[in-house]
């Protein structure tokens, strides 16, 4: 079968190779990969910024959807033909994340190779059913970006109807956060640096939009929109470059879900955090139980992921460069076939 390997760091060094097609061992299934979605983490893995000491060669990428084509002995949960998604952290089924489980995340050069290939074998416990109403391309976007947003708002944030959520930018996690927040009856303030993207955010249900290129002090704008109270939740994907403003924009007793580190900048002063009793929570995707809960909610509300572009399997480098450009709105997907 065909698979991509990181042999040397850099998009230009990603190699399409031929490796043996896996067989289903005891308690395993083999999945024909149909679609793969691209996360910023994948770009970091391929470029070498995620873990410069990563073992190579390694198959990257973590998010996929597919169809079971082989069932191994002892499997009771699945049958050939089932549409499934591998979970991001392969051994985190429920409960509090442990260091041992964290090391089973897909696609970062550990013993848990990624999904940028035509077939993959998984434990029957490490996959979930794909929502019936979604295409393979749509379903492939759920295990990382969507679940990260769900964890940040619903699990960690304990989101309630009528609360106010701030989302930053128009990447996959931020768009999913907007969709989930509206699902729960929340008010959403979104930021973007592009007026065309602002209109698309409005179409998805954003209640207020701040163009951060036109309004550099967007935290002040958030406070104005909330009568100086601040927002209840921030989906913080920027990192050092935006965290200080997020801490000013959040309400007393509010919640910041710390998800990404897309921008550089000055560090966060802790004074605003403890003076406002802010809960700052790091989010590392989520467990199988969380993914199953989220998928049921998406199915009930018939929520569909927002896909920007679908690239064919032989144009993965182009998909990564498009991710690097930050021009996308929503998710970038690779169709495997």
């Amino acid at each position: 079968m065909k698979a991509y390997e990181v042999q040397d760091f850099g998009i230009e060094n990603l190699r399409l190779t031929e490796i043996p097609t896996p067989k289903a061992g005891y308690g395993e299934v083999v999945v024909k990969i149909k679609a793969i979605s691209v996360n910023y983490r994948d770009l970091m893995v391929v470029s070498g910024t995620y873990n410069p000491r990563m073992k190579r060669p390694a198959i990257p990428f973590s998010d996929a959807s597919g169809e079971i084509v082989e069932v191994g002995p002892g499997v009771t949960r699945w049958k050939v033909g089932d549409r499934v998604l591998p979970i991001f952290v392969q051994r985190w089924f429920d409960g509090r994340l442990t260091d041992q489980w964290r090391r089973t995340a897909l696609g970062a050069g550990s013993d848990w190779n990624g999904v940028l290939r035509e077939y993959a074998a998984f434990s029957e416990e490490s996959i979930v059913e794909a929502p019936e109403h979604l295409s393979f391309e749509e379903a492939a976007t759920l295990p990382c970006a969507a679940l990260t947003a769900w964890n940040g708002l619903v699990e960690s944030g304990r989101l309630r109807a009528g609360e106010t959520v701030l989302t930053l930018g128009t990447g996959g996690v931020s768009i999913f956060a907007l969709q989930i927040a509206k699902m729960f009856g929340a008010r959403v303030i979104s930021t973007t640096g592009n007026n065309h993207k602002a209109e698309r955010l409005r179409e998805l249900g954003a209640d207020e939009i701040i163009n951060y290129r036109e309004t550099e002090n967007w935290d002040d704008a958030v406070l104005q929109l909330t009568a100086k109270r601040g927002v209840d939740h921030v989906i913080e994907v920027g990192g050092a470059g935006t965290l200080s403003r997020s801490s000013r924009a959040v309400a007393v007793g509010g919640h910041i879900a710390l998800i990404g580190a897309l921008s550089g900048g000055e560090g966060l002063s802790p004074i605003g955090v403890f003076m406002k009793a802010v809960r700052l929570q790091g989010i590392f995707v989520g467990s199988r139980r969380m993914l199953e809960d989220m998928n049921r909610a998406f199915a009930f509300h018939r929520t569909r992921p927002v896909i920007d572009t679908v690239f064919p399997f032989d144009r993965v480098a182009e998909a990564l460069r498009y991710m690097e450009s930050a021009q996308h709105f929503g998710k970038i997907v690779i169709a495997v076939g």
Side-chain angles (χ1 to χ4, degrees):
M1 69 169 186
K2 293 179 181 178
Y4 282 90
E5 289 184 339
V6 177
Q7 297 177 351
D8 294 299
F9 291 128
I11 296 174
E12 69 281 2
N13 295 320
L14 191 61
R15 294 287 179 260
L16 183 59
T17 61
E18 292 278 345
I19 63 174
T21 303
K23 299 294 183 183
Y26 187 88
E28 291 183 335
V29 300
V30 173
V31 176
K32 170 71 173 74
I33 303 296
K34 294 288 190 177
I36 300 162
S37 73
V38 186
N39 296 297
Y40 190 77
R41 172 181 182 262
D42 304 321
L43 175 62
M44 294 176 70
V45 167
V46 172
S47 66
T49 58
Y50 189 80
N51 178 8
R53 297 184 298 277
M54 185 180 81
K55 291 191 300 183
R56 289 162 284 163
I59 300 173
F61 289 44
S62 62
D63 276 15
S65 64
E67 182 178 312
I68 294 177
V69 294
E70 182 186 348
V71 173
V75 171
T76 59
R77 298 164 60 99
W78 307 101
K79 64 182 185 304
V80 170
D82 285 342
R83 300 168 73 248
V84 297
L85 313 172
I87 62 176
F88 179 85
V89 184
Q90 286 280 284
R91 304 307 295 173
W92 186 16
F93 305 135
D94 200 0
R96 178 177 171 178
L97 178 65
T98 68
D99 184 59
Q100 182 180 8
W101 293 345
R102 181 180 61 83
R103 295 173 185 274
T104 68
L106 292 172
S110 66
D111 294 332
W112 302 80
N113 259 317
V115 297
L116 197 54
R117 46 180 160 163
E118 294 181 304
Y119 295 88
F122 300 101
S123 164
E124 69 165 335
E125 297 181 319
S126 299
I127 54 177
V128 302
E129 183 179 7
E132 187 177 88
H133 72 293
L134 299 182
S135 67
F136 282 115
E137 288 77 13
E138 291 170 325
T141 68
L142 299 179
C144 183
L147 183 57
T148 298
W150 177 272
N151 187 358
L153 285 176
V154 180
E155 293 284 336
S156 171
R158 301 188 291 274
L159 178 65
R160 298 291 182 267
E163 293 186 324
T164 302
V165 174
L166 173 64
T167 66
L168 307 182
T170 54
V173 173
S174 297
I175 297 299
F176 276 123
L178 167 57
Q179 293 178 292
I180 292 165
K182 299 311 294 184
M183 187 189 299
F184 276 75
R187 176 191 182 196
V188 178
I189 301 172
S190 297
T191 73
T192 180
N194 181 295
N195 287 328
H196 174 68
K197 289 182 178 181
E199 288 306 311
R200 297 193 64 187
L201 287 168
R202 205 177 304 280
E203 291 170 2
L204 288 171
D207 298 280
E208 283 94 15
I209 298 163
I210 302 166
N211 187 319
Y212 59 78
R213 297 192 190 280
E214 298 173 357
T215 307
E216 182 180 356
N217 297 329
W218 51 263
D219 46 332
D220 290 334
V222 170
L223 292 173
Q224 290 175 9
L225 289 170
T226 57
K228 298 185 179 180
R229 177 183 179 274
V231 297
D232 299 290
H233 305 270
V234 182
I235 298 299
E236 172 53 72
V237 298
T242 55
L243 186 53
S244 60
R245 293 194 186 278
S246 292
S247 68
R248 287 195 69 244
V250 74
V252 172
H255 170 247
I256 300 175
L258 182 58
I259 289 161
L262 303 183
S263 60
E266 296 179 2
L268 170 69
S269 169
I271 297 174
V273 174
F274 68 72
M275 289 294 289
K276 294 170 71 173
V278 173
R279 187 159 56 91
L280 180 63
Q281 176 67 57
I283 303 295
F284 189 70
V285 192
S287 68
R288 184 185 70 190
R289 192 269 305 161
M290 294 181 201
L291 182 57
E292 291 169 334
D293 288 350
M294 185 195 75
N295 285 352
R296 283 192 293 270
F298 272 50
F300 179 81
H301 290 277
R302 311 300 286 180
T303 300
R304 308 194 83 97
V306 177
I307 294 177
D308 182 294
T309 307
V310 178
F311 290 86
F313 191 60
D314 61 355
R315 290 168 57 191
V316 171
E318 187 176 342
L320 284 167
R321 290 193 179 95
Y322 187 43
M323 166 67 74
E324 191 175 37
S325 77
Q327 297 301 305
H328 58 291
F329 184 96
K331 292 297 294 179
I332 301 167
V333 176
I334 296 162
V336 182

